[in-house]
């Protein structure tokens, strides 16, 4: 180390076959082999180490190795780095508006149970014009939020950075709880998610989260997000897109040739979801799907007749979608279905996190759709299924709106995070069949008949403190409400499902009371559409 810079040495060790001493001097030359015979057992370096040497030398360093045959090798290189000179952050112009004279800087809450992460974020926030306070748990953070509204000392918090995976409460539930506190309905919440954890913007918007940051948090991104959060800007619009109807054009892309002759099995235990999926297939011109209500019925159905595609709900009674798919794949490998092509299994799930997608793929599912189902996404998935069955490669565009040819645009401003609309009437447009107005009324009537059963199941589960039953009942009602635009009821059911995972029965009790109110409002809003 010197005043001008720093020389850093990197080492990589292995316990492999080692390299003969006479070959070590040539190992960094292009295409050299430690064993030059025509019967050699081990490969050479090609261009990799030769290029590495050139790169290291350009950085003012050197490269070499220490190796003993049969013992392994240690490769090392050095590189020279200049001391970084970081320009001061522009806190008075483009990022943060100037704080009026005599006023306090905005108050920011950081919630993370990992001390190292808190220290890292504290260091990054020191250069921003905010007053940051820190909590190591959700309970501590909620206490701070309450006290901020009860005293005049520091003023209320305007924003919070919250770890997604807190030990006492996950970040999504925390957001719901925080927005329930008096005066904090406008609190801007950003979740801190680990690298690789992708969160669905629609889910975040539903539970009142303004956006998310990937850990480890970069200083430049942190400054941008915090400033936008304080200004009340919509952070989700960067990653959220919505399909919309082209003027004079179709609502959805037409299926490709061959898809309309698909033999489809729908595995779904929720009657409302069954009817919704069948209706979408009908609108798109597909033949009616055969229905199975659980995994046991699926396994029985595919032994009786062949199917091309299985729309597989992940959470079904008796045998869920994951285990059912695993059994199907084992049977296919054993030849139990004869010479049939492998079934194309499309997961249907109301969960929208990246971990759920990986879980589906690990079980042997081929594709992944989130509920409520959307026509373009369903067309795209079924088209990919046809290509797989015909042995054709998938296009580079992949899945989603680009694969269906539907134009997308960024979403508009966020709805009030703590109070989603009781009914999104636009969601009902998907169930209006030209020439058959009774279809929508039939679907609305079905959910209205089902609603008292589902709400009573949730109330009973909370009373008995039965977490498994509560998760299942809340999940089912969440799906039904989402399908027909019941955003407020769906959000409350999502929070109930999360509370059941704790379980947090005090929170579940409050949410159950809110769920009953939301269900009553949803029922009243649907009455004009009843057949």
């Amino acid at each position: 180390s010197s005043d001008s810079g720093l020389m850093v040495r990197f080492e990589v060790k292995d316990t492999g076959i080692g390299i003969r001493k006479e070959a070590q001097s040539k190992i960094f030359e292009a295409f050299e082999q430690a064993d030059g015979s025509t019967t050699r057992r081990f490969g050479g370096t090609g261009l990799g180490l030769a290029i590495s040497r050139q790169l290291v030398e350009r950085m003012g360093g050197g490269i070499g190795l220490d190796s003993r045959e049969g013992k392994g090798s240690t490769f090392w290189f050095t590189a020279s780095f200049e001391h970084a000179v970081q320009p001061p952050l522009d806190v008075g112009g483009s990022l943060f508006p100037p704080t009026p004279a005599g006023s306090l800087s905005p108050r920011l809450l950081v919630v993370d149970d990992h001390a190292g992460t808190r220290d890292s974020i504290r260091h990054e926030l020191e250069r921003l014009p905010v007053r940051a306070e820190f909590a190591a748990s959700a309970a501590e953070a909620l206490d701070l939020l309450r006290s901020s509204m009860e005293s005049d000392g520091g003023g209320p918090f305007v924003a919070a950075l919250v770890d997604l995976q807190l030990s006492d409460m996950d970040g999504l539930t925390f957001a719901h709880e925080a927005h329930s506190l008096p005066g904090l309905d406008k609190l801007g919440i950003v979740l801190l998610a680990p690298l690789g954890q992708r969160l669905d913007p629609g889910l975040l918007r539903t539970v009142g989260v303004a956006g998310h940051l990937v850990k480890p948090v970069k200083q430049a991104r942190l400054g941008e997000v915090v400033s936008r959060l304080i200004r009340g800007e919509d952070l989700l619009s960067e990653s959220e897109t919505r399909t919309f109807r082209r003027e004079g054009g179709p609502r959805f892309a037409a299926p490709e040739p061959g898809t309309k002759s698909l033999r489809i099995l729908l595995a779904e235990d929720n009657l409302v979801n069954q009817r919704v999926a069948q209706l979408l297939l009908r609108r798109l011109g597909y033949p009616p799907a055969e229905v199975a209500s659980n995994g046991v019925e699926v396994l029985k159905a595919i032994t009786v007749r062949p199917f091309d595609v299985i729309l597989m709900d992940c959470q079904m009674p008796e045998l869920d979608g994951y285990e059912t798919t695993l059994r199907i794949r084992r049977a296919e490998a054993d030849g139990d279905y004869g010479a049939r092509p492998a079934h194309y299994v499309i997961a249907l799930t109301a969960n929208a996190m990246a971990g759920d997608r990986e879980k589906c793929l690990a079980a042997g599912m081929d594709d992944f759709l989130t509920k409520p189902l959307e026509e373009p996404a369903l067309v795209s998935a079924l088209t990919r299924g046809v290509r797989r069955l015909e042995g054709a490669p998938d296009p580079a565009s992949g899945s989603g709106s680009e694969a269906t040819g539907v134009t997308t645009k960024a979403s508009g401003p966020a709805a009030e995070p703590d109070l989603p609309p009781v009914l999104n009437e636009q969601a009902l447009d998907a169930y209006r069949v030209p020439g058959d107005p009774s279809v929508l009324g039939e679907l609305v009537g079905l959910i209205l008949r089902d609603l008292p059963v589902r709400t009573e199941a949730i109330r009973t589960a909370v009373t008995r403190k039965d977490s498994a039953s509560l998760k299942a009942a809340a999940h089912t009602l969440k799906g039904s409400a989402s399908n027909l635009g019941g955003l407020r009821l769906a959000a409350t059911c999502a929070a109930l499902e999360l509370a059941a995972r704790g379980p947090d029965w005090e929170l579940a009790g409050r949410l159950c009371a809110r769920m009953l109110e939301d269900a009553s409002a949803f029922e009243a809003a649907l009455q004009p559409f009843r057949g």
Side-chain angles (χ1 to χ4, degrees):
S1 177
S2 65
D3 293 340
S4 61
L6 184 69
M7 181 69 74
V8 182
R9 179 183 172 102
F10 301 85
E11 293 186 355
V12 179
K13 297 182 180 181
D14 68 46
T15 55
I17 61 170
I19 300 172
R20 298 193 314 274
K21 190 171 183 178
E22 59 271 22
Q24 293 180 22
S25 61
K26 299 181 178 181
I27 202 70
F28 294 99
E29 297 179 11
F31 300 104
E32 285 298 326
Q33 304 284 345
D35 178 1
S37 68
T38 58
T39 59
R40 64 178 178 268
R41 294 173 297 151
F42 309 108
T45 65
L47 285 172
L49 288 177
I51 294 174
S52 297
R53 182 187 64 183
Q54 295 176 22
L55 293 174
V56 167
E57 289 174 351
R58 290 182 181 182
M59 297 180 70
I63 191 168
L65 79 153
D66 302 305
S67 182
R68 293 175 59 191
E69 284 192 83
K71 298 294 185 180
S73 305
T74 298
F75 284 82
W76 58 266
F77 73 91
T78 58
S80 179
F81 298 91
E82 295 180 357
H83 290 303
V85 178
Q86 193 168 20
L89 186 69
D90 174 14
V91 297
S94 59
L95 281 182
F96 289 85
T99 302
S103 300
L104 294 173
S105 299
R107 197 176 180 189
L108 177 71
L109 178 62
V110 179
V111 191
D112 198 299
D113 52 14
H114 190 275
T117 301
R118 293 197 305 274
D119 289 341
S120 175
I121 295 177
R122 179 181 286 109
H123 173 73
E124 301 295 351
L125 290 175
E126 286 175 352
R127 303 176 64 245
L128 303 181
V130 296
R131 291 175 296 144
E133 298 182 34
F134 296 82
S137 67
E140 181 184 354
L142 291 171
D143 286 342
L144 284 172
L145 290 173
R146 291 188 190 96
S147 62
S148 73
M149 301 304 299
E150 295 169 357
S151 65
D152 298 328
F157 288 96
V158 297
L161 305 178
V162 183
D163 184 33
L164 175 65
Q165 300 169 338
L166 294 169
S167 57
D168 58 339
M169 183 186 297
D170 66 85
L172 295 173
T173 304
F174 176 86
H176 193 95
E177 280 289 280
H179 287 141
S180 299
L181 296 176
L184 288 173
D185 55 320
K186 305 286 191 194
L187 180 70
I189 295 178
V190 166
L191 295 182
L192 304 174
L195 185 65
Q197 179 79 68
R198 296 186 179 181
L199 303 176
D200 178 69
L203 173 65
L204 297 183
R205 191 182 294 283
T206 299
V207 298
V209 173
H212 75 281
L213 275 171
V214 175
K215 297 192 296 183
V217 180
K218 295 183 178 179
Q219 202 276 337
R221 178 63 175 158
L222 178 63
E224 177 193 356
V225 166
V226 170
S227 66
R228 293 181 60 189
L229 200 58
I230 290 171
R231 291 197 298 265
E233 294 183 11
D234 178 23
L235 300 172
L236 293 177
S237 60
E238 298 176 349
S239 55
E240 183 182 29
T241 58
R242 293 178 180 171
T243 58
F244 71 102
R245 183 182 302 192
R246 293 181 182 178
E247 188 173 352
R251 288 189 74 249
F252 50 86
E256 291 191 1
T259 56
K260 292 189 177 182
S261 60
L262 283 178
R263 294 165 297 187
I264 302 172
L265 176 62
L266 172 62
E268 171 65 70
D269 65 301
N270 186 322
L271 289 176
V272 173
N273 293 348
Q274 287 177 7
R275 189 71 181 100
V276 166
Q278 289 280 40
L279 180 57
L280 290 179
L281 291 172
R282 172 183 171 183
R283 285 175 58 90
L284 292 166
Y286 295 104
E290 185 168 326
V291 177
S293 297
N294 56 56
V296 175
E297 293 182 11
V298 170
L299 296 176
K300 181 178 179 180
I302 61 178
T303 59
V304 175
R305 62 186 62 84
F307 291 94
D308 301 309
V309 173
I310 304 176
L311 298 174
M312 184 78 76
D313 182 38
C314 292
Q315 298 188 2
M316 295 183 292
E318 295 190 53
L319 196 64
D320 65 27
Y322 305 113
E323 180 61 28
T324 302
T325 304
L326 285 170
R327 295 190 186 187
I328 290 173
R329 296 310 186 208
R330 283 197 292 265
E332 289 172 343
D334 294 339
D336 293 352
Y337 305 129
R340 290 190 215 164
H343 301 84
Y344 193 81
V345 181
I346 302 173
L348 306 179
T349 176
N351 299 323
M353 295 186 182
D356 298 299
R357 182 184 182 91
E358 275 98 40
K359 185 177 179 181
C360 292
L361 298 178
M365 299 178 183
D366 299 287
D367 216 326
F368 181 95
L369 291 176
T370 56
K371 294 188 284 188
L373 292 177
E374 295 182 352
E375 292 167 338
L378 180 59
V379 170
S380 182
L382 293 175
T383 301
R384 288 194 295 274
V386 169
R387 293 196 185 102
R388 175 75 63 82
L389 294 167
E390 294 177 347
D394 288 345
S397 60
S399 62
S401 60
E402 290 182 1
T404 63
V406 178
T407 306
T408 62
K409 67 176 181 180
S411 67
E416 288 292 329
D418 64 321
L419 200 64
V422 172
L423 177 63
N424 174 22
E425 292 189 18
Q426 291 181 341
L428 302 179
D429 291 342
Y431 313 120
R432 301 182 193 276
V433 177
D436 191 356
S438 65
V439 173
L440 175 60
E442 176 191 346
L443 189 57
V444 170
L446 179 61
I447 193 171
L448 289 178
R449 290 192 296 274
D450 190 58
L451 201 56
V453 178
R454 301 300 175 187
T455 55
E456 178 60 24
I458 291 174
R459 191 195 64 78
T460 301
V462 171
T463 301
R464 296 177 178 175
K465 296 186 177 180
D466 184 343
S467 59
S469 296
L470 176 57
K471 276 195 294 186
H475 181 85
T476 299
L477 183 53
K478 177 181 69 175
S480 298
S482 296
N483 274 320
L484 270 77
L487 300 185
R488 188 179 302 181
L489 178 58
T492 303
C493 288
L496 268 167
E497 192 176 0
L498 291 170
R501 294 177 183 175
D504 184 340
W505 293 113
E506 181 182 355
L507 171 61
R510 295 197 300 272
L511 290 173
C512 182
R514 178 179 296 185
M515 178 275 302
L516 292 172
E517 295 176 0
D518 294 344
S520 178
F522 182 48
E523 181 180 15
L526 283 177
Q527 289 296 339
F529 304 96
R530 188 170 191 168

